[in-house]
Each structure stands twice: as C-alpha cells, then as structure tokens.
Amino acid sequence: MLSVVGRGLHDISLLTEHYIHLQSLELQYNSLTDLSSLSTLRYLLYLNVSHNELTSLLDFDPPLGLREVDASFNQINEMSDLSAHHSLAKLVLNCNSISEIKGLSSCHRLNHLEITHNQIERISGLDHLPIKHLDLSCNKIKKTENLETLELLTHLDLSGNKLRTLKGLQDHPLMGYINVEDNDVIDLTDMKYLREMTLLRKLNMKRNPLQDLPDYRLSVLFKLPHLTELDTDKVSAEEKVTAINMFAAPLELLAATDHMTNVRQRVLNQHFDLLLCTMPAVDTPYPMMVLCGPQGVGKMQMALQLVRDLQAYFGLGVSHTTRKPRVGEADSGNYVFVSEEDFEKMRSNGEFIETCCVAGHSYGLTFNAVESVAQEGLACITCMELEGVMSLKKSYFEPRYLLVVPQSLQVHVARMRERGYYTEAEIERVQSRVEKCIQIHQDRPGCFEQAINSDDIDQAYGDLKHLVVQQYLALSNDPTPFSSAGHYGSATSKGLAGTSQALAQVFSRPSSSATGRTRSVLEEQLYKRRLSQARAAVVGPAPPPRHSVSAPASIALDVDFGKEGIRDTSNVSLSALQNNQPTPSSSESRSRSGSSLSGFSGARDFSCSPISPRSQSPSLQER
C-alpha cells in the first residue's frame, strides 16, 4: 500500500516506475490531472484519487483486477466506458459534474455505486447490474425509474432530489434502507409502493410535504409495520400498537369502545323509558335479523324486498349516516342522512345502539329505529358491516346474523363499476373487506349463522327468503314464491294467520343464558329490570318457560311506564306471574295495554296492513 496524501503532486510517473506490484494506492488531496502513468500497475486493486483536478475517469489501461475506485471531488463531467474493468465492485464519483450515468453495462460485479452531488436528471444505464448499494442523493432526479431490474438492491439513497412520488420503488423484496429526505413527496398513499418490502427496516422521509399531514408518523407505521427506524428516530412497540389501534383496531376493541361509549352516553342522557315492545321476554329476546356484508353485495336490496314480501313479519330498521345520498337515494328512506355535527350530537345524547365508521363515513342504528318497528308488532331487519355487528353483539339485542358476501371478486368488482358511483379506491378497499368477512366467518364459527353467496343477487334473495320462511318462521308454504324470471312475488295474507307465535319462538335466537354470552354488570342489571317489567306487563296467559328462572319472591319496579294500570306492580309476586295469575289490582288494566314480547302474545296480531313508506321505496342503494 502506498499513501501520498496532500502533497500537491502534479505528476506520479516516478512513483509507478518502482512500484509495479502495488495493490493499494491513495493519492487524494493533490493536483493530478492525468492518471495514464498508472497503466504499469497491473496488480492494482484499490485506488483513491479523490480531491484532485481530474476531468476524465480511469484514463489508463485497466489493471487485471481493479475492485474499488474513489474519484469524488474532481472535475469529471462525463463517465467513460468502463467495460474493460470487469472486476470493478465499488465506484464512488461524488461531487463532480456528471449529468448522465453510462459506461457501466459490462461491470457485472459492480455492487456499490455512489454518484452524489452531480447533475443527474434521470436514472439510467444500470439495467441488470448486481448493485446492492445505490446512492444518487443531491441530484436533479424527478422520477424513480429504471430500477426494476436491480433485483439485489438493499440500500437506496435518493435524498435531496425532486421526487414527488415513490412510484417505481416497488418490487424490491430485499430492500432494507430507503432515504428520500428533502424531496417533494406529498401523498401518504405512496406507502403502498413499499408495502411488500418486508425487510425494510429504515425509512427517512424528513423534509417532505407529507410530514405535515395529520398522524403522519402513525400512518406510516401502520402501513409499514416492519420499520424499526423512521426519519432517523427509533420506532417503539408502543407506537406500533397505537398505529394499529388508530387505523385498524381489532374488531373486538372497536366494538367494546363503541358499546362503552353508547352505554355511557345513554346512562347520562336518557331516562330509560324503554318501550315494552323491545324488552326481552321471559325466555326469548326481541326478534331481529341483521344482514352483514361489504358495500355492493345487495344486502339493502334484499332487506327491502324481504320487508315487501313479508310485510306482516318484518319492518326495516333505518340507520343514520353522514355520507351524502347517492342518485335517487335522498328520499328513499333507506338511510337518514345527517351531518357530522348532528351525528355526534346524537351519539352524545346516547341515541345509538351501535355506531361504526366505514370508508370515512359514520353509520349508526338508533334505539328509536328498532322501537318504531317493534311498536308495529314486527321483527326488525337491518343492514350493517362488520364493525356494527361486533358492536351490536355487545348489547342486549340478540339478532340472527347472516353474512352476505360474494364468492367471485371479479363479479363483485364488475357490479360495483357498473353502478357508477364507486371510486377505484373504494373498490380496492371493498375487495379487502370481502376477504376479511370470509376470514372471520371461517375463523369464528357461530359469528354468523349462515353465509349467502351474493354473486347473483336474485338467487341470493331466493336463498335468504327460503331460509327465513322455511327455517326461521317455520311456514309450511312460502306465501310469496320466488319467481323463476328473477322478480319477487307480492305479499299476500294467505298462510300467515296465527304465525305470530312462530315469529317470536322460532325466528328468535335463544336467550343469552343459553348462548353463553357473558353480560357486563350493567347489562345484567338492565336485563333483570326489563325482565321483571316485561313479566309485570304480560297480557293474558304467558307461555310456559323453557328455562328455569330464579328470582326474588317479589319484584319491585322503579320505572313508571306512563301507561294506565301499570303504575304500581310492586306487589306482584313472581309465582303468580309464572302461574299466569294476574293480580287483582292490575289485571284488567294490563289487558288493555299490549306491548309484551312474551311470544309476542301482547303485540298486535301480524296483519297484512301496508308497511310504512320507508320500506316501500324502490331505491336499492346500500352502505
């Protein structure tokens, strides 16, 4: 090794006459303009000629195995053909005046290339090279291009350029470090180009406009969970957990948080003057059905049609939403459209049973929406997505949950595009939601009672109607047969008489004591209170209980329902209720008040009176 640093050399011919076997040569900080005399150093392996006055690159006969060259801080404005340097593995050309990368096509061992602080405007000339470390910082590059063939790339530095997007960085599975500091990247969605880089550990995006976006750091960590360092700061485990909980919290966490919020606000703001018609009966809850599925599967269409065909049994539970109505949807009654401010006010007032956020819009089902259906003596059918289902499962309502999901993503995507009001971003999001629905149905047996294929909506509705009529309602004949032409039959009263008992006892799921769901302390207290109130308001003989119920000998009611004859039932004994013996003081008035759900015996008979206008709209839009 020979090191002659900072000696002001202009000529090195004397050095090379006596050192032909030299392998390492350091000549930095001199005034060299010509390296032709190095042609005699046939065994040279390492050469450092940085901080000189060279205008050309390696202008001497190539040694047999030259591996590393540092020619930074010179006056080189053009890269010469280096095809003769077959063994070159590292090349450093920082701080020159190079405007184009070229001459490296035959350097099949080059794995380290640095050309920083030059005038390069475009990435080129690197096709199929085995480069692992590439540093092109502080140039004038505007696009990340022509990198797809660098299959071994692990370290990339493009800081100090003029990049506006990270498109072009994808398809580098071995990438471990990326530096794009001091550029013009503005969109967090560009993280999708780095999502498949499972080995990426360090990412530096300082001094880019996207750093000013809300929750920038947590958003990046959510999209790139493998990072250990972001913007030169270490990533903690707490940050990763916070990012997941903010952008993709587990369904159980979302449901628990939503339920806790709704219960708290209802306790603080409501008087619990709940209608008897939505209180649990002695051994069966209020009959209710939920169609769950991602956008575009036709669940609202099927719910509306089922309400029209079985109007003596079902009413639509209309949800509130903050999204804008679509064409023909404003007056359909499928949703109640409210502003974000009004929605939050309703949430603060404790009006919702469940709420969830889908595609940036809030949805919620109110107590009034369910109670208005129950007041008509009908079972409630409503539609919601996964988050809403998980939240509703925390409440005292115990519906039957049916999953409506496509088996073919291609058919589903084509249907969404045909409707014309879904953006490509929404379609892409819905595809992931479809996969999530299917995964939950597979991983959590019992979460949904049945899955219905929505590839053909007409056939899906036929399957749904058959399931409801034959299994849930246990009717011997379908009162409104499904037409083979793909249209739905009209409602009729034939075969519906005397089926209210079937609706309450067959359609309803078993009580929570049978299903094994553990109630919270507050829910258990509310359930017991409503149970006692429902028993006290029973009209006529109650059905024999299917499960033994232990309770105090007397039930003290602390809620005045405001109905004649139900002001004071504190002396009603449990044994009298269980033996269907009304108390002398209130039996007559109770016979005039019909709102119990004990087999729906106290609700009005399920006649075929027309359904409310909200259920008759032809609009088939859904969330």
Side-chain angles (χ1 to χ4, degrees), residues 398-417:
E398 298 183 2
R400 290 185 178 273
Y401 297 98
L402 300 178
L403 178 63
V404 184
V405 67
Q407 288 187 355
S408 172
L409 275 177
Q410 291 79 7
V411 172
H412 188 63
V413 169
R415 181 192 301 147
M416 294 184 71
R417 290 199 174 106

Side-chain angles (χ1 to χ4, degrees), residues 186-188 209-217:
I186 61 175
D187 197 345
L188 274 172
L210 85 171
Q211 269 201 319
D212 298 329
L213 297 176
D215 300 313
Y216 150 76
R217 184 174 176 87

Side-chain angles (χ1 to χ4, degrees), residues 469-490:
V469 171
Q470 298 294 331
Q471 296 187 31
Y472 294 169
L473 298 181
L475 300 180
S476 57
N477 296 314
D478 187 344
T480 55
F482 182 73
S483 170
S484 60
H487 301 288
Y488 308 121
S490 59

